[in-house]
Amino acid sequence: SVCDDQCPAAAGARPASYPMSGDDRNGGGPRAIRLSTRVDPYHDGWRLSDYLAHRFRYLDAATWAARLAAGSISVNGAPGRPETPVGRGDLVEYEVLVVEPPVDFSYEVLHDDEDVVAVSKSGNIPCHAGGSYFTHTLIARLREDLGRPLDLAHRLDRETSGVVVLAGNREAARALSGAFARGEVAKEYVAVVRGEPSCDAFEVDAPIAPARRDCPVARRVVDRERGRPARTLFRVESRRGGFAVVRANPLTGRTNQIRLHLEHAGHPIVGDKIYGMPHDLLLESLRDPSAPRVLEHLLLARHALHAARLELLHPRTRRLLTLEAPLPADMAGFVAGIAGDR
């Protein structure tokens, strides 16, 4: 990292917003969910059993064969058999029983019009389906609550709270996703980090790549040979008892960029279960996430990173939208509990 005392501070007033929506929809036992997929060109002409085993490797071939024998898989509405050929564009549907992890469904609407919806999400809900999450997602909840076919314009990690922008129609989706991809959206995050940075402002310019396959967790690494360019500006807001509150302005949009860059700078985020975790504790957490030593190290139930502010041009009116979300209670409480300013 390079010291840079000229990093400017962002300013602006928080816009009006709607009340929190926080009812619990986590449910209890297994639920049947109907999943569907369209056959891609590569698998055109494959046998159904081979297609399923190759395309969806989270189940082995024997399990897919058992599901086919039970009659729970269809192709274009007709029962599927192992030897059924599938063609490009065919609709394959099947039902699974799932128990999704509980999430915090609460959110706050910051902006709502026909083109753009912006909300401040909690620090325990994924933006979209993946892994163990099917319907316990922000996008599923908002589509249900608002009754509209919304699409995500960008994403936050499940444990990152704060501003998320969604598109209300296809034209807005193209414009917004393009603006994010081209770096035309100004972003500011707040993080609570370990240690007290020596500079009031600093920059991390370090390319990012996926970790190699022998890494025990899926994460990103700084790699100057394989990595894509990534740059983040940081400004220290306060230093408190061996911790610091830092504002981050990412100038690129790589996966886990702020978390990795802060680890790279020697100041990992409090509560981060991957970046900055000592190797022995990381391995222990993979065996038992609730191990006492792991929890003692983390200090918080989730990583202390919050998307506090976004500025972007409205896709239709071209007026500047400033979207701000206050620091959530868990992060604010942690900061308040640390020793006084130094």
Side-chain angles (χ1 to χ4, degrees), residues 193-199 236 238-244 266-267 340 342:
V193 303
R194 299 176 184 270
E196 301 182 13
S198 58
C199 300
V236 178
S238 64
R239 297 175 175 85
R240 301 167 181 253
F243 300 90
H267 298 285
R342 299 168 63 181

Side-chain angles (χ1 to χ4, degrees), residues 14-217:
R14 180 169 173 262
S17 58
Y18 295 91
M20 296 292 288
S21 174
D23 57 295
D24 185 278
R25 302 185 189 180
N26 286 301
R31 292 181 300 110
I33 294 180
R34 192 77 178 169
L35 302 177
S36 64
T37 182
R38 294 282 180 182
V39 177
D40 59 283
Y42 178 80
H43 293 100
D44 184 35
W46 285 45
R47 285 163 41 100
L48 178 58
S49 57
D50 295 335
Y51 165 72
L52 291 168
H54 186 265
R55 176 67 178 81
F56 304 106
R57 301 184 185 186
Y58 56 84
L59 296 178
D60 58 26
T63 303
W64 282 120
R67 293 192 173 184
L68 282 165
S72 63
I73 302 174
S74 66
V75 179
N76 298 327
R81 300 181 180 278
E83 66 276 10
T84 300
V86 296
R88 175 178 180 174
D90 281 351
L91 180 65
V92 178
E93 296 180 285
Y94 57 98
E95 193 171 87
V96 294
L97 289 176
V98 300
V99 178
E100 298 184 59
V103 299
D104 180 356
F105 281 111
S106 62
Y107 64 89
E108 184 178 8
V109 178
L110 305 175
H111 181 91
D112 185 359
D113 65 35
E114 63 178 317
D115 300 298
V116 180
V117 173
V119 302
S120 176
K121 84 174 188 73
S122 74
N124 181 24
I125 188 169
C127 283
H128 57 89
S132 301
Y133 300 92
F134 292 87
T135 62
H136 285 189
T137 65
L138 181 68
I139 185 65
R141 174 65 188 271
L142 291 175
R143 285 171 175 168
E144 178 184 347
D145 284 1
L146 302 183
R148 298 161 58 188
L150 300 169
D151 290 302
L152 290 162
H154 66 123
R155 293 163 175 80
L156 297 180
D157 292 336
R158 177 177 64 84
E159 293 190 5
T160 302
S161 56
V163 182
V164 177
V165 177
L166 305 98
N169 52 65
R170 186 172 298 176
E171 293 74 19
R174 281 197 295 265
L176 289 170
S177 61
F180 276 95
R182 293 187 297 269
E184 297 171 355
V185 179
K187 311 171 193 174
E188 182 170 88
Y189 292 73
V190 176
V192 183
V193 303
R194 299 176 184 270
E196 301 182 13
S198 58
C199 300
D200 289 339
F202 58 99
E203 174 184 336
V204 176
D205 188 348
I208 293 175
R212 300 190 185 277
R213 291 186 178 181
D214 58 356
C215 183
V217 293

